[in-house]
Amino acid sequence: MTDSNPSQSSSARRSEEPLVAQRPEPLSFSEASALAERVVENVERVIVGQRDAIEDVLIALLGRGHVLIEDVPGVGKTMLARSIARSIDCSFRRVQFTPDLLPSDITGANVFNQRTREFEFNEGPVFANVVLGDEINRAPPKAQSALLEAMEETQVTVDGTTHPLPRPFTVIATQNAVEPSRTYELPIAELDRFMKKIHLGYPEERDEIEVLDRVVGAHPIETLEPVAGVDEIRRARESVAAVTVKEPVRVYATRLASYTREHATLGVSPRGTLALLRAAQGRALFSGREYVTPDDVQWEAPTVMGHRIVTDETAEGSLVDRALETVPVP
């Protein structure tokens, strides 16, 4: 089951974008930082008391990554994803993951056109700048596998033909943390493709009261307007990529990952180390700096590393905490 932003035309927007990735001119660091703050403040018109989570999602988007939001039902996971997408003037599609979902329901399929007597490719909902995978663990691994190539290579292959996806491309997935007997465990290969895994938790009392005050009439999501264009996001991504990461910080991130490999059944992969540095670049930009510090790495480590580790411990983040306490800081 899918739906889209009615104000956006996916095919029209894709026609305006080059199929081959081009490197746009980056925004200045001050411009990129201001854009990020503008988006965060706009989302906060809808999402109350979750600034850290909003920043986490935006850092993943600007860091060329994807984010998995796991929590109990009703705490605003889907609303957060929708608010981020509405704050950016880009194509947005939503996929409701269900047990009967097929890979072709996500990627699209070749359909025979009786008029032209030829097969034509009908794009699936994955062809958008921001794709919301709602309750992703309600679909079996076969359906989830449709996202693997898209998340890693920004393309999908159907019947031997490769189709590039729009850029930027980010998957924001929500995961049901209850009803384990009615959900499927996400494959490790899929988890490793998410830059971040975050939790929202229940709101504080004052925040919940504020939510009720805001939605007692019309919901603020209905009037939320974009505050950034897709071209600005592309340029801001280049700004994040230009944030300096010096060798001592790169060594520190590598040693954190190595610690997890030495103390777990499955530790952080090199893809995870790269994701950690990209997230740290985004955190530095949020802090108004043009360079990454060890503090940025430490801030991002729990949300980037925790879900990549397989261990006998109950708390997935405890090994990350020990790594941060044990590995010397440059």
Side-chain angles (χ1 to χ4, degrees):
M1 176 178 178
T2 65
D3 63 29
S4 62
N5 186 340
S7 65
Q8 304 294 338
S9 170
S10 177
S11 59
R13 290 196 176 280
R14 290 189 69 243
S15 66
E16 298 171 1
E17 300 167 353
L19 295 182
V20 178
Q22 297 180 358
R23 304 286 302 240
E25 185 71 20
L27 296 174
S28 69
F29 287 105
S30 60
E31 289 174 330
S33 181
L35 179 145
E37 182 64 27
R38 194 163 67 242
V39 173
V40 169
E41 290 179 353
N42 198 54
V43 175
E44 285 184 316
R45 294 177 54 200
V46 177
I47 305 298
V48 181
Q50 296 286 358
R51 184 179 178 90
D52 286 348
I54 297 170
E55 290 185 357
D56 281 328
V57 176
L58 191 56
I59 283 173
L61 190 152
L62 294 179
R64 292 164 287 167
H66 314 282
V67 61
L68 177 63
I69 309 174
E70 180 185 65
D71 223 305
V72 298
V75 294
K77 303 185 298 296
T78 301
M79 191 59 63
L80 172 58
R82 289 181 60 197
S83 300
I84 290 283
R86 276 184 174 264
S87 296
I88 302 167
D89 188 18
C90 65
S91 56
F92 167 69
R93 300 294 297 273
R94 176 178 179 271
V95 183
Q96 182 66 54
F97 279 68
T98 56
D100 60 346
L101 194 71
L102 298 175
S104 58
D105 295 329
I106 300 171
T107 61
N110 287 316
V111 178
F112 186 71
N113 187 323
Q114 293 187 352
R115 183 176 59 83
T116 63
R117 311 298 294 176
E118 294 180 349
F119 282 93
E120 298 177 352
F121 179 64
N122 286 355
E123 295 178 353
V126 76
F127 285 86
N129 297 121
V130 178
V131 177
L132 168 59
D134 211 2
E135 295 194 304
I136 191 172
N137 58 337
R138 287 197 181 276
K142 181 179 181 180
Q144 295 177 25
S145 67
L147 289 175
L148 296 182
E149 182 184 12
M151 294 172 69
E152 180 67 13
E153 302 177 47
T154 322
Q155 64 183 31
V156 295
T157 302
V158 178
D159 295 337
T161 301
T162 299
H163 305 272
L165 297 175
R167 295 174 186 261
F169 171 73
T170 292
V171 174
I172 304 175
T174 69
Q175 178 169 261
N176 194 331
V178 296
E179 300 179 315
S181 63
R182 300 182 182 182
T183 57
Y184 299 85
E185 185 175 356
L186 266 62
I188 295 297
E190 183 178 5
L191 279 174
D192 198 44
R193 282 164 166 77
F194 285 102
M195 172 183 280
K196 286 170 167 279
K197 179 183 176 182
I198 65 174
H199 306 266
L200 300 183
Y202 289 113
E204 298 289 338
E205 180 179 300
R206 63 180 182 277
D207 293 333
E208 189 165 1
I209 293 172
E210 176 66 21
V211 170
L212 297 177
D213 288 341
R214 292 188 184 187
V215 302
V216 70
H219 199 292
I221 188 69
E222 303 302 331
T223 58
L224 201 66
E225 295 291 337
V227 294
V230 68
D231 288 334
E232 289 179 293
I233 294 298
R234 291 194 192 103
R235 296 181 63 193
R237 280 187 162 195
E238 294 299 319
S239 303
V240 171
V243 172
T244 301
V245 185
K246 292 189 175 181
E247 183 177 2
V249 176
R250 297 197 299 271
V251 171
Y252 180 52
T254 301
R255 288 176 177 170
L256 288 174
S258 297
Y259 184 94
T260 68
R261 297 166 195 164
E262 295 165 1
H263 295 84
T265 305
L266 181 66
V268 174
S269 66
R271 181 195 285 132
T273 312
L274 175 60
L276 178 59
L277 288 183
R278 286 180 173 175
Q281 287 177 303
R283 179 60 59 186
L285 187 75
F286 265 85
S287 301
R289 279 182 281 100
E290 301 178 15
Y291 56 90
V292 173
T293 68
D295 286 343
D296 298 320
V297 175
Q298 292 176 334
W299 184 305
E300 296 299 322
T303 58
V304 174
M305 299 174 69
H307 61 286
R308 305 173 193 274
I309 298 171
V310 176
T311 176
D312 294 333
E313 299 177 14
T314 302
E316 63 183 16
S318 58
L319 182 58
V320 178
D321 293 337
R322 289 210 307 274
L324 294 172
E325 293 169 358
T326 305
V327 176
V329 180

